[in-house]
Short mmCIF file of all heavy atoms in Angstrom, two decimals:
data_model
loop_
_atom_site.label_atom_id
_atom_site.label_comp_id
_atom_site.label_asym_id
_atom_site.label_seq_id
_atom_site.Cartn_x
_atom_site.Cartn_y
_atom_site.Cartn_z
N MET A 1 -16.70 35.35 -16.10
CA MET A 1 -16.79 34.28 -15.11
C MET A 1 -18.10 34.36 -14.34
O MET A 1 -18.71 33.34 -14.04
CB MET A 1 -15.58 34.34 -14.15
CG MET A 1 -14.29 33.91 -14.82
SD MET A 1 -12.84 34.08 -13.75
CE MET A 1 -13.09 32.69 -12.66
N CYS A 2 -18.52 35.57 -14.03
CA CYS A 2 -19.79 35.74 -13.32
C CYS A 2 -20.95 35.17 -14.15
O CYS A 2 -21.79 34.44 -13.64
CB CYS A 2 -20.02 37.21 -13.02
SG CYS A 2 -21.64 37.57 -12.34
N GLN A 3 -20.93 35.52 -15.43
CA GLN A 3 -22.02 35.02 -16.29
C GLN A 3 -21.98 33.49 -16.39
O GLN A 3 -23.01 32.82 -16.27
CB GLN A 3 -21.90 35.63 -17.70
CG GLN A 3 -22.95 35.10 -18.66
CD GLN A 3 -22.97 35.85 -19.99
OE1 GLN A 3 -22.90 37.06 -20.02
NE2 GLN A 3 -23.05 35.11 -21.08
N LEU A 4 -20.77 32.96 -16.58
CA LEU A 4 -20.62 31.50 -16.69
C LEU A 4 -21.09 30.80 -15.42
O LEU A 4 -21.66 29.71 -15.48
CB LEU A 4 -19.15 31.14 -16.90
CG LEU A 4 -18.55 31.23 -18.28
CD1 LEU A 4 -17.09 30.83 -18.22
CD2 LEU A 4 -19.29 30.35 -19.26
N ALA A 5 -20.85 31.46 -14.28
CA ALA A 5 -21.21 30.85 -13.01
C ALA A 5 -22.70 30.92 -12.73
O ALA A 5 -23.18 30.45 -11.71
CB ALA A 5 -20.43 31.52 -11.88
N GLY A 6 -23.45 31.53 -13.66
CA GLY A 6 -24.90 31.55 -13.49
C GLY A 6 -25.49 32.95 -13.38
O GLY A 6 -26.69 33.11 -13.21
N GLY A 7 -24.62 33.97 -13.45
CA GLY A 7 -25.11 35.34 -13.47
C GLY A 7 -25.32 35.91 -12.08
O GLY A 7 -24.85 35.34 -11.12
N PRO A 8 -26.04 37.03 -11.94
CA PRO A 8 -26.88 37.66 -12.95
C PRO A 8 -26.14 38.58 -13.93
O PRO A 8 -26.79 39.08 -14.85
CB PRO A 8 -27.86 38.49 -12.10
CG PRO A 8 -27.04 38.90 -10.93
CD PRO A 8 -26.11 37.74 -10.65
N CYS A 9 -24.84 38.78 -13.76
CA CYS A 9 -24.16 39.71 -14.68
C CYS A 9 -24.15 39.15 -16.10
O CYS A 9 -24.20 37.94 -16.30
CB CYS A 9 -22.73 39.97 -14.21
SG CYS A 9 -22.09 38.72 -13.13
N GLN A 10 -24.08 40.06 -17.05
CA GLN A 10 -24.05 39.66 -18.45
C GLN A 10 -22.84 40.28 -19.13
O GLN A 10 -22.65 41.48 -19.06
CB GLN A 10 -25.31 40.13 -19.16
CG GLN A 10 -26.48 39.17 -18.99
CD GLN A 10 -27.57 39.47 -20.01
OE1 GLN A 10 -28.02 40.60 -20.12
NE2 GLN A 10 -27.98 38.45 -20.74
N TYR A 11 -22.02 39.43 -19.76
CA TYR A 11 -20.84 39.91 -20.47
C TYR A 11 -21.25 40.52 -21.79
O TYR A 11 -21.95 39.90 -22.58
CB TYR A 11 -19.87 38.74 -20.69
CG TYR A 11 -18.64 39.14 -21.49
CD1 TYR A 11 -17.69 40.00 -20.94
CD2 TYR A 11 -18.43 38.66 -22.77
CE1 TYR A 11 -16.57 40.38 -21.67
CE2 TYR A 11 -17.31 39.02 -23.50
CZ TYR A 11 -16.38 39.88 -22.94
OH TYR A 11 -15.27 40.24 -23.66
N LYS A 12 -20.80 41.76 -22.01
CA LYS A 12 -21.21 42.45 -23.24
C LYS A 12 -20.02 42.81 -24.12
O LYS A 12 -20.14 43.56 -25.07
CB LYS A 12 -21.99 43.72 -22.89
CG LYS A 12 -23.28 43.43 -22.13
CD LYS A 12 -24.18 44.66 -22.07
CE LYS A 12 -25.50 44.35 -21.39
NZ LYS A 12 -25.51 44.74 -19.96
N GLY A 13 -18.84 42.27 -23.78
CA GLY A 13 -17.64 42.58 -24.54
C GLY A 13 -17.50 41.73 -25.79
O GLY A 13 -18.40 40.98 -26.14
N PRO A 14 -16.33 41.86 -26.43
CA PRO A 14 -16.08 41.07 -27.64
C PRO A 14 -15.95 39.58 -27.31
O PRO A 14 -15.66 39.23 -26.17
CB PRO A 14 -14.73 41.62 -28.13
CG PRO A 14 -14.08 42.22 -26.93
CD PRO A 14 -15.20 42.72 -26.06
N ASP A 15 -16.19 38.73 -28.31
CA ASP A 15 -16.04 37.29 -28.05
C ASP A 15 -14.57 36.97 -27.79
O ASP A 15 -13.69 37.78 -28.05
CB ASP A 15 -16.66 36.45 -29.17
CG ASP A 15 -15.92 36.55 -30.49
OD1 ASP A 15 -14.68 36.55 -30.49
OD2 ASP A 15 -16.59 36.63 -31.54
N MET A 16 -14.34 35.77 -27.24
CA MET A 16 -13.00 35.44 -26.77
C MET A 16 -11.97 35.36 -27.89
O MET A 16 -10.81 35.70 -27.71
CB MET A 16 -13.03 34.13 -25.96
CG MET A 16 -13.76 34.28 -24.64
SD MET A 16 -13.01 35.52 -23.53
CE MET A 16 -13.95 36.98 -23.86
N LYS A 17 -12.42 34.96 -29.07
CA LYS A 17 -11.50 34.87 -30.20
C LYS A 17 -11.00 36.27 -30.59
O LYS A 17 -9.81 36.51 -30.72
CB LYS A 17 -12.21 34.20 -31.38
CG LYS A 17 -11.25 33.73 -32.44
CD LYS A 17 -11.94 32.81 -33.45
CE LYS A 17 -10.90 32.16 -34.32
NZ LYS A 17 -11.09 30.75 -34.48
N LEU A 18 -11.94 37.17 -30.69
CA LEU A 18 -11.61 38.55 -31.06
C LEU A 18 -10.80 39.23 -29.97
O LEU A 18 -9.80 39.92 -30.24
CB LEU A 18 -12.92 39.31 -31.33
CG LEU A 18 -12.80 40.67 -31.99
CD1 LEU A 18 -12.24 40.53 -33.40
CD2 LEU A 18 -14.18 41.34 -32.05
N ALA A 19 -11.19 39.03 -28.70
CA ALA A 19 -10.53 39.72 -27.58
C ALA A 19 -9.06 39.34 -27.49
O ALA A 19 -8.24 40.14 -27.03
CB ALA A 19 -11.25 39.40 -26.28
N HIS A 20 -8.72 38.10 -27.90
CA HIS A 20 -7.35 37.63 -27.74
C HIS A 20 -6.61 37.50 -29.07
O HIS A 20 -5.51 36.94 -29.13
CB HIS A 20 -7.33 36.30 -26.99
CG HIS A 20 -7.93 36.42 -25.61
ND1 HIS A 20 -9.27 36.23 -25.37
CD2 HIS A 20 -7.37 36.76 -24.43
CE1 HIS A 20 -9.51 36.45 -24.09
NE2 HIS A 20 -8.39 36.77 -23.49
N ALA A 21 -7.19 38.03 -30.12
CA ALA A 21 -6.55 37.93 -31.43
C ALA A 21 -5.21 38.66 -31.40
O ALA A 21 -5.06 39.66 -30.71
CB ALA A 21 -7.46 38.52 -32.50
N GLU A 22 -4.24 38.12 -32.10
CA GLU A 22 -2.91 38.75 -32.25
C GLU A 22 -2.19 38.92 -30.92
O GLU A 22 -1.36 39.81 -30.77
CB GLU A 22 -3.03 40.08 -32.98
CG GLU A 22 -3.47 39.90 -34.43
CD GLU A 22 -3.85 41.20 -35.09
OE1 GLU A 22 -3.16 42.20 -34.83
OE2 GLU A 22 -4.81 41.20 -35.87
N MET A 23 -2.51 38.10 -29.91
CA MET A 23 -1.79 38.17 -28.64
C MET A 23 -0.76 37.07 -28.50
O MET A 23 -0.06 37.01 -27.50
CB MET A 23 -2.77 38.09 -27.47
CG MET A 23 -3.37 39.40 -27.08
SD MET A 23 -4.27 39.24 -25.56
CE MET A 23 -5.41 40.59 -25.74
N ASP A 24 -0.68 36.16 -29.48
CA ASP A 24 0.27 35.04 -29.42
C ASP A 24 0.16 34.26 -28.11
O ASP A 24 1.14 34.12 -27.37
CB ASP A 24 1.71 35.54 -29.59
CG ASP A 24 1.97 36.04 -31.01
OD1 ASP A 24 1.13 35.77 -31.89
OD2 ASP A 24 3.00 36.69 -31.22
N ILE A 25 -1.01 33.78 -27.81
CA ILE A 25 -1.23 33.00 -26.59
C ILE A 25 -1.08 31.51 -26.91
O ILE A 25 -1.76 31.00 -27.81
CB ILE A 25 -2.62 33.30 -26.00
CG1 ILE A 25 -2.70 34.78 -25.59
CG2 ILE A 25 -2.90 32.38 -24.80
CD1 ILE A 25 -4.07 35.22 -25.12
N ASP A 26 -0.17 30.84 -26.18
CA ASP A 26 0.00 29.40 -26.39
C ASP A 26 -0.56 28.62 -25.20
O ASP A 26 -1.08 29.20 -24.25
CB ASP A 26 1.47 29.05 -26.70
CG ASP A 26 2.41 29.37 -25.54
OD1 ASP A 26 1.92 29.51 -24.39
OD2 ASP A 26 3.62 29.49 -25.78
N LYS A 27 -0.41 27.29 -25.29
CA LYS A 27 -0.96 26.40 -24.27
C LYS A 27 -0.39 26.71 -22.88
O LYS A 27 -1.10 26.66 -21.88
CB LYS A 27 -0.59 24.96 -24.67
CG LYS A 27 -1.57 23.92 -24.25
CD LYS A 27 -1.18 22.59 -24.89
CE LYS A 27 -1.97 21.46 -24.30
NZ LYS A 27 -1.61 20.16 -24.91
N ALA A 28 0.91 27.03 -22.85
CA ALA A 28 1.57 27.32 -21.56
C ALA A 28 0.98 28.58 -20.91
O ALA A 28 0.79 28.62 -19.69
CB ALA A 28 3.07 27.49 -21.76
N HIS A 29 0.67 29.59 -21.73
CA HIS A 29 0.04 30.79 -21.19
C HIS A 29 -1.32 30.44 -20.59
O HIS A 29 -1.69 30.90 -19.51
CB HIS A 29 -0.17 31.85 -22.30
CG HIS A 29 1.09 32.40 -22.87
ND1 HIS A 29 1.38 32.34 -24.20
CD2 HIS A 29 2.13 33.04 -22.28
CE1 HIS A 29 2.56 32.92 -24.42
NE2 HIS A 29 3.03 33.35 -23.28
N PHE A 30 -2.07 29.64 -21.33
CA PHE A 30 -3.40 29.27 -20.87
C PHE A 30 -3.32 28.49 -19.56
O PHE A 30 -4.05 28.77 -18.60
CB PHE A 30 -4.13 28.45 -21.95
CG PHE A 30 -5.60 28.32 -21.72
CD1 PHE A 30 -6.50 29.27 -22.18
CD2 PHE A 30 -6.10 27.23 -21.01
CE1 PHE A 30 -7.86 29.15 -21.95
CE2 PHE A 30 -7.46 27.10 -20.78
CZ PHE A 30 -8.34 28.05 -21.26
N ASN A 31 -2.38 27.52 -19.52
CA ASN A 31 -2.21 26.72 -18.29
C ASN A 31 -1.78 27.59 -17.12
O ASN A 31 -2.20 27.35 -15.97
CB ASN A 31 -1.19 25.60 -18.52
CG ASN A 31 -1.75 24.54 -19.46
OD1 ASN A 31 -2.95 24.43 -19.65
ND2 ASN A 31 -0.86 23.76 -20.07
N ALA A 32 -0.95 28.59 -17.40
CA ALA A 32 -0.50 29.50 -16.33
C ALA A 32 -1.69 30.26 -15.74
O ALA A 32 -1.79 30.45 -14.54
CB ALA A 32 0.54 30.47 -16.87
N LEU A 33 -2.61 30.65 -16.63
CA LEU A 33 -3.81 31.34 -16.15
C LEU A 33 -4.63 30.42 -15.25
O LEU A 33 -5.10 30.83 -14.18
CB LEU A 33 -4.68 31.81 -17.33
CG LEU A 33 -6.04 32.36 -16.91
CD1 LEU A 33 -5.91 33.72 -16.26
CD2 LEU A 33 -7.00 32.42 -18.07
N VAL A 34 -4.76 29.17 -15.65
CA VAL A 34 -5.52 28.21 -14.84
C VAL A 34 -4.89 28.09 -13.45
O VAL A 34 -5.60 28.09 -12.44
CB VAL A 34 -5.60 26.83 -15.55
CG1 VAL A 34 -6.18 25.77 -14.61
CG2 VAL A 34 -6.43 26.94 -16.82
N GLU A 35 -3.55 28.03 -13.40
CA GLU A 35 -2.86 27.92 -12.10
C GLU A 35 -3.13 29.14 -11.23
O GLU A 35 -3.37 29.01 -10.03
CB GLU A 35 -1.35 27.81 -12.32
CG GLU A 35 -0.89 26.38 -12.45
CD GLU A 35 0.62 26.30 -12.61
OE1 GLU A 35 1.35 27.02 -11.90
OE2 GLU A 35 1.06 25.50 -13.48
N VAL A 36 -3.06 30.31 -11.82
CA VAL A 36 -3.30 31.54 -11.05
C VAL A 36 -4.74 31.57 -10.53
O VAL A 36 -5.00 31.95 -9.39
CB VAL A 36 -3.00 32.80 -11.91
CG1 VAL A 36 -3.49 34.06 -11.23
CG2 VAL A 36 -1.52 32.89 -12.20
N LEU A 37 -5.66 31.12 -11.39
CA LEU A 37 -7.06 31.09 -10.96
C LEU A 37 -7.25 30.12 -9.79
O LEU A 37 -7.96 30.42 -8.82
CB LEU A 37 -7.97 30.67 -12.12
CG LEU A 37 -8.27 31.75 -13.17
CD1 LEU A 37 -9.07 31.13 -14.32
CD2 LEU A 37 -9.04 32.90 -12.55
N GLN A 38 -6.60 28.95 -9.90
CA GLN A 38 -6.71 27.96 -8.81
C GLN A 38 -6.19 28.55 -7.50
O GLN A 38 -6.83 28.43 -6.45
CB GLN A 38 -5.92 26.70 -9.16
CG GLN A 38 -6.67 25.81 -10.14
CD GLN A 38 -5.79 24.65 -10.63
OE1 GLN A 38 -4.59 24.80 -10.81
NE2 GLN A 38 -6.41 23.51 -10.85
N LYS A 39 -5.02 29.20 -7.56
CA LYS A 39 -4.44 29.79 -6.35
C LYS A 39 -5.35 30.88 -5.79
O LYS A 39 -5.52 30.99 -4.58
CB LYS A 39 -3.06 30.38 -6.67
CG LYS A 39 -1.99 29.32 -6.75
CD LYS A 39 -0.62 29.93 -6.96
CE LYS A 39 0.41 28.83 -7.22
NZ LYS A 39 1.56 29.27 -8.00
N SER A 40 -5.90 31.70 -6.69
CA SER A 40 -6.78 32.79 -6.24
C SER A 40 -8.04 32.25 -5.58
O SER A 40 -8.47 32.75 -4.55
CB SER A 40 -7.17 33.67 -7.44
OG SER A 40 -6.03 34.13 -8.10
N MET A 41 -8.61 31.21 -6.20
CA MET A 41 -9.84 30.64 -5.63
C MET A 41 -9.55 29.96 -4.29
O MET A 41 -10.33 30.07 -3.35
CB MET A 41 -10.50 29.68 -6.64
CG MET A 41 -11.08 30.42 -7.85
SD MET A 41 -12.12 29.40 -8.94
CE MET A 41 -10.89 28.43 -9.82
N SER A 42 -8.40 29.26 -4.21
CA SER A 42 -8.02 28.62 -2.93
C SER A 42 -7.82 29.67 -1.86
O SER A 42 -8.25 29.50 -0.71
CB SER A 42 -6.75 27.79 -3.11
OG SER A 42 -7.03 26.62 -3.82
N ALA A 43 -7.14 30.78 -2.22
CA ALA A 43 -6.88 31.84 -1.25
C ALA A 43 -8.19 32.44 -0.72
O ALA A 43 -8.24 32.95 0.39
CB ALA A 43 -6.02 32.93 -1.89
N ARG A 44 -9.24 32.36 -1.54
CA ARG A 44 -10.56 32.86 -1.15
C ARG A 44 -11.39 31.82 -0.42
O ARG A 44 -12.56 32.06 -0.10
CB ARG A 44 -11.33 33.31 -2.40
CG ARG A 44 -10.86 34.60 -2.98
CD ARG A 44 -11.50 35.75 -2.23
NE ARG A 44 -10.97 37.03 -2.66
CZ ARG A 44 -11.48 38.19 -2.30
NH1 ARG A 44 -12.54 38.22 -1.53
NH2 ARG A 44 -10.93 39.30 -2.70
N GLY A 45 -10.81 30.63 -0.25
CA GLY A 45 -11.54 29.59 0.47
C GLY A 45 -12.64 28.92 -0.33
O GLY A 45 -13.56 28.31 0.23
N ILE A 46 -12.55 29.02 -1.66
CA ILE A 46 -13.57 28.38 -2.51
C ILE A 46 -13.28 26.88 -2.57
O ILE A 46 -12.15 26.48 -2.86
CB ILE A 46 -13.55 29.03 -3.92
CG1 ILE A 46 -13.98 30.50 -3.81
CG2 ILE A 46 -14.45 28.26 -4.89
CD1 ILE A 46 -13.81 31.30 -5.10
N PRO A 47 -14.26 26.04 -2.26
CA PRO A 47 -14.02 24.60 -2.23
C PRO A 47 -13.57 24.06 -3.59
O PRO A 47 -13.95 24.59 -4.64
CB PRO A 47 -15.39 24.00 -1.86
CG PRO A 47 -16.26 25.13 -1.46
CD PRO A 47 -15.65 26.40 -1.96
N PHE A 48 -12.75 22.99 -3.55
CA PHE A 48 -12.21 22.42 -4.78
C PHE A 48 -13.29 22.03 -5.77
O PHE A 48 -13.13 22.19 -6.98
CB PHE A 48 -11.33 21.20 -4.47
CG PHE A 48 -9.97 21.58 -3.99
CD1 PHE A 48 -9.51 21.16 -2.76
CD2 PHE A 48 -9.12 22.36 -4.78
CE1 PHE A 48 -8.25 21.52 -2.30
CE2 PHE A 48 -7.85 22.73 -4.33
CZ PHE A 48 -7.42 22.30 -3.08
N SER A 49 -14.41 21.52 -5.26
CA SER A 49 -15.47 21.10 -6.17
C SER A 49 -16.00 22.28 -6.99
O SER A 49 -16.21 22.17 -8.19
CB SER A 49 -16.61 20.43 -5.39
OG SER A 49 -17.06 21.31 -4.39
N ALA A 50 -16.16 23.42 -6.33
CA ALA A 50 -16.65 24.62 -7.02
C ALA A 50 -15.57 25.16 -7.96
O ALA A 50 -15.86 25.62 -9.07
CB ALA A 50 -17.06 25.69 -6.01
N GLN A 51 -14.30 25.09 -7.51
CA GLN A 51 -13.19 25.52 -8.38
C GLN A 51 -13.22 24.71 -9.67
O GLN A 51 -13.08 25.26 -10.77
CB GLN A 51 -11.85 25.27 -7.70
CG GLN A 51 -11.59 26.14 -6.50
CD GLN A 51 -10.16 26.01 -6.00
OE1 GLN A 51 -9.26 25.66 -6.74
NE2 GLN A 51 -9.95 26.31 -4.73
N ASN A 52 -13.37 23.41 -9.53
CA ASN A 52 -13.33 22.54 -10.70
C ASN A 52 -14.52 22.78 -11.63
O ASN A 52 -14.38 22.70 -12.85
CB ASN A 52 -13.27 21.07 -10.28
CG ASN A 52 -11.90 20.74 -9.71
OD1 ASN A 52 -10.92 21.44 -9.99
ND2 ASN A 52 -11.83 19.68 -8.91
N ARG A 53 -15.65 23.12 -11.05
CA ARG A 53 -16.81 23.44 -11.90
C ARG A 53 -16.54 24.70 -12.72
O ARG A 53 -16.86 24.78 -13.90
CB ARG A 53 -18.08 23.61 -11.06
CG ARG A 53 -18.65 22.30 -10.54
CD ARG A 53 -20.15 22.41 -10.21
NE ARG A 53 -20.45 23.42 -9.21
CZ ARG A 53 -20.33 23.23 -7.88
NH1 ARG A 53 -19.91 22.09 -7.41
NH2 ARG A 53 -20.65 24.19 -7.04
N MET A 54 -15.92 25.70 -12.08
CA MET A 54 -15.60 26.95 -12.79
C MET A 54 -14.59 26.67 -13.90
O MET A 54 -14.76 27.12 -15.04
CB MET A 54 -15.02 27.96 -11.78
CG MET A 54 -14.80 29.34 -12.34
SD MET A 54 -16.35 30.21 -12.58
CE MET A 54 -16.30 30.57 -14.31
N LEU A 55 -13.54 25.93 -13.56
CA LEU A 55 -12.49 25.66 -14.56
C LEU A 55 -13.04 24.84 -15.72
O LEU A 55 -12.63 25.03 -16.87
CB LEU A 55 -11.30 24.96 -13.89
CG LEU A 55 -10.54 25.83 -12.87
CD1 LEU A 55 -9.50 25.01 -12.12
CD2 LEU A 55 -9.90 27.03 -13.54
N ALA A 56 -13.98 23.96 -15.41
CA ALA A 56 -14.57 23.14 -16.48
C ALA A 56 -15.37 24.00 -17.46
O ALA A 56 -15.47 23.69 -18.64
CB ALA A 56 -15.44 22.05 -15.88
N LEU A 57 -15.94 25.09 -16.94
CA LEU A 57 -16.69 26.01 -17.82
C LEU A 57 -15.73 26.84 -18.69
O LEU A 57 -16.06 27.19 -19.82
CB LEU A 57 -17.57 26.95 -16.98
CG LEU A 57 -18.73 26.27 -16.24
CD1 LEU A 57 -19.34 27.24 -15.23
CD2 LEU A 57 -19.79 25.79 -17.21
N LEU A 58 -14.57 27.15 -18.13
CA LEU A 58 -13.60 27.96 -18.87
C LEU A 58 -12.80 27.14 -19.89
O LEU A 58 -12.41 27.66 -20.94
CB LEU A 58 -12.61 28.63 -17.90
CG LEU A 58 -13.20 29.66 -16.95
CD1 LEU A 58 -12.17 30.05 -15.88
CD2 LEU A 58 -13.65 30.91 -17.71
N ALA A 59 -12.57 25.88 -19.55
CA ALA A 59 -11.67 25.04 -20.35
C ALA A 59 -11.97 25.04 -21.85
O ALA A 59 -11.05 25.18 -22.66
CB ALA A 59 -11.63 23.62 -19.80
N PRO A 60 -13.25 24.88 -22.25
CA PRO A 60 -13.52 24.82 -23.70
C PRO A 60 -13.12 26.09 -24.45
O PRO A 60 -12.96 26.06 -25.67
CB PRO A 60 -15.04 24.62 -23.77
CG PRO A 60 -15.45 24.14 -22.42
CD PRO A 60 -14.45 24.72 -21.46
N MET A 61 -12.93 27.19 -23.72
CA MET A 61 -12.56 28.44 -24.38
C MET A 61 -11.14 28.41 -24.93
O MET A 61 -10.76 29.30 -25.69
CB MET A 61 -12.68 29.61 -23.39
CG MET A 61 -14.09 29.84 -22.95
SD MET A 61 -14.12 31.26 -21.86
CE MET A 61 -15.88 31.38 -21.58
N HIS A 62 -10.36 27.38 -24.56
CA HIS A 62 -8.98 27.33 -25.07
C HIS A 62 -8.97 27.31 -26.60
O HIS A 62 -8.06 27.83 -27.22
CB HIS A 62 -8.23 26.11 -24.51
CG HIS A 62 -8.60 24.81 -25.12
ND1 HIS A 62 -9.60 24.00 -24.62
CD2 HIS A 62 -8.13 24.17 -26.21
CE1 HIS A 62 -9.70 22.93 -25.37
NE2 HIS A 62 -8.84 22.99 -26.35
N ARG A 63 -10.03 26.78 -27.18
CA ARG A 63 -10.09 26.71 -28.65
C ARG A 63 -10.09 28.09 -29.30
O ARG A 63 -9.57 28.26 -30.39
CB ARG A 63 -11.34 25.94 -29.09
CG ARG A 63 -11.24 24.47 -28.78
CD ARG A 63 -12.43 23.69 -29.33
NE ARG A 63 -12.53 22.43 -28.60
CZ ARG A 63 -13.29 22.22 -27.54
NH1 ARG A 63 -14.10 23.17 -27.10
NH2 ARG A 63 -13.28 21.06 -26.94
N ASP A 64 -10.68 29.05 -28.61
CA ASP A 64 -10.73 30.41 -29.16
C ASP A 64 -9.58 31.28 -28.69
O ASP A 64 -9.26 32.29 -29.32
CB ASP A 64 -12.05 31.08 -28.75
CG ASP A 64 -13.23 30.49 -29.48
OD1 ASP A 64 -13.04 30.03 -30.62
OD2 ASP A 64 -14.34 30.47 -28.91
N ILE A 65 -8.96 30.91 -27.55
CA ILE A 65 -7.98 31.80 -26.93
C ILE A 65 -6.54 31.44 -27.30
O ILE A 65 -5.72 32.32 -27.56
CB ILE A 65 -8.20 31.83 -25.40
CG1 ILE A 65 -9.55 32.51 -25.11
CG2 ILE A 65 -7.06 32.57 -24.71
CD1 ILE A 65 -10.00 32.43 -23.68
N ILE A 66 -6.25 30.14 -27.33
CA ILE A 66 -4.89 29.73 -27.74
C ILE A 66 -4.80 29.89 -29.25
O ILE A 66 -5.56 29.27 -29.99
CB ILE A 66 -4.60 28.26 -27.33
CG1 ILE A 66 -4.60 28.14 -25.79
CG2 ILE A 66 -3.26 27.79 -27.90
CD1 ILE A 66 -4.50 26.71 -25.28
N ASN A 67 -3.86 30.75 -29.68
CA ASN A 67 -3.78 30.99 -31.11
C ASN A 67 -2.39 30.81 -31.70
O ASN A 67 -2.14 31.14 -32.84
CB ASN A 67 -4.37 32.37 -31.46
CG ASN A 67 -3.85 33.45 -30.53
OD1 ASN A 67 -2.74 33.34 -30.01
ND2 ASN A 67 -4.64 34.48 -30.30
N VAL A 68 -1.44 30.29 -30.87
CA VAL A 68 -0.16 29.85 -31.41
C VAL A 68 0.19 28.48 -30.82
O VAL A 68 -0.21 28.16 -29.71
CB VAL A 68 1.02 30.84 -31.13
CG1 VAL A 68 0.84 32.12 -31.90
CG2 VAL A 68 1.19 31.09 -29.67
N LYS A 69 0.95 27.69 -31.59
CA LYS A 69 1.30 26.33 -31.13
C LYS A 69 2.52 26.35 -30.23
O LYS A 69 3.37 27.19 -30.35
CB LYS A 69 1.53 25.41 -32.32
CG LYS A 69 0.21 25.08 -32.99
CD LYS A 69 0.27 23.75 -33.71
CE LYS A 69 -1.14 23.39 -34.19
NZ LYS A 69 -1.16 22.25 -35.07
C1 HEM B 101 -10.62 31.05 -20.18
C2 HEM B 101 -9.61 31.91 -20.27
C3 HEM B 101 -9.78 33.39 -20.51
C4 HEM B 101 -10.90 34.19 -20.41
C5 HEM B 101 -12.31 33.80 -20.01
C6 HEM B 101 -10.48 35.53 -20.76
C7 HEM B 101 -11.32 36.64 -20.80
C8 HEM B 101 -10.96 37.89 -21.19
C9 HEM B 101 -11.85 39.03 -21.31
C10 HEM B 101 -13.33 39.00 -20.98
C11 HEM B 101 -11.12 40.08 -21.73
C12 HEM B 101 -11.62 41.52 -21.99
C13 HEM B 101 -12.02 41.68 -23.42
C14 HEM B 101 -12.47 43.10 -23.73
O1 HEM B 101 -13.35 43.61 -23.04
O2 HEM B 101 -11.92 43.70 -24.65
C15 HEM B 101 -9.76 39.63 -21.90
C16 HEM B 101 -8.70 40.42 -22.32
C17 HEM B 101 -7.39 40.03 -22.30
N1 HEM B 101 -6.91 38.76 -22.07
FE1 HEM B 101 -8.01 37.15 -21.60
N2 HEM B 101 -9.15 35.53 -21.05
C18 HEM B 101 -8.68 34.26 -20.91
C19 HEM B 101 -7.37 33.83 -21.12
C20 HEM B 101 -6.30 34.65 -21.34
C21 HEM B 101 -4.91 34.20 -21.38
C22 HEM B 101 -4.45 32.75 -21.21
C23 HEM B 101 -4.15 35.30 -21.60
C24 HEM B 101 -2.66 35.40 -21.67
C25 HEM B 101 -1.87 34.81 -20.76
C26 HEM B 101 -5.06 36.43 -21.71
C27 HEM B 101 -4.68 37.73 -21.94
C28 HEM B 101 -5.54 38.79 -22.11
C29 HEM B 101 -5.11 40.16 -22.37
C30 HEM B 101 -3.65 40.64 -22.48
C31 HEM B 101 -6.27 40.93 -22.51
C32 HEM B 101 -6.36 42.42 -22.81
C33 HEM B 101 -6.37 43.17 -21.51
C34 HEM B 101 -6.54 44.66 -21.71
O3 HEM B 101 -6.52 45.12 -22.85
O4 HEM B 101 -6.71 45.36 -20.72
N3 HEM B 101 -6.35 35.99 -21.54
N4 HEM B 101 -9.67 38.31 -21.55
#
């Protein structure tokens, strides 16, 4: 998330497909994560506009992370 938000940190771990392989993650799991992130960001006083920008950067990753229907 730090890297996506513009850095300066750099993620050096496995790609998202590999990191979540064989975890049976479905759409509901992914949506639950989004809800938790929203609550966490709100609790930190992060404005909705910035929250939405972060979530918009994460959203396309569902293609690599959701691996069961
Ligand atoms: C945009 C959404 C997500 C991002 C950016 C993300 C990112 C990551 C990253 C960076 C790791 C560490 C990989 C490594 O270093 O090996 C990880 C691990 C993991 N993720 Fe995700 N993830 C996302 C969604 C999810 C969802 C929806 C679930 C399940 C509800 C999930 C479950 C896990 C689990 C169980 C691990 C392994 C944790 C561990 O071994 O300590 N992730 N994720």
Side-chain angles (χ1 to χ4, degrees):
M1 288 176 74
C2 172
Q3 177 172 316
L4 279 180
C9 21
Q10 276 196 307
Y11 177 68
K12 297 193 177 97
D15 68 41
M16 292 300 96
K17 196 168 191 133
L18 192 64
H20 300 89
E22 294 169 39
M23 275 189 205
D24 291 347
I25 297 175
D26 64 19
K27 211 171 169 180
H29 294 123
F30 194 87
N31 290 340
L33 172 73
V34 170
E35 270 182 42
V36 170
L37 283 175
Q38 282 172 325
K39 282 184 187 154
S40 305
M41 291 190 284
S42 287
R44 285 277 174 171
I46 295 172
F48 281 121
S49 55
Q51 292 189 24
N52 288 339
R53 285 203 301 279
M54 187 73 238
L55 294 172
L57 292 168
L58 294 170
M61 295 182 176
H62 76 269
R63 290 185 201 95
D64 289 330
I65 293 171
I66 295 173
N67 47 29
V68 292
K69 287 206 172 170

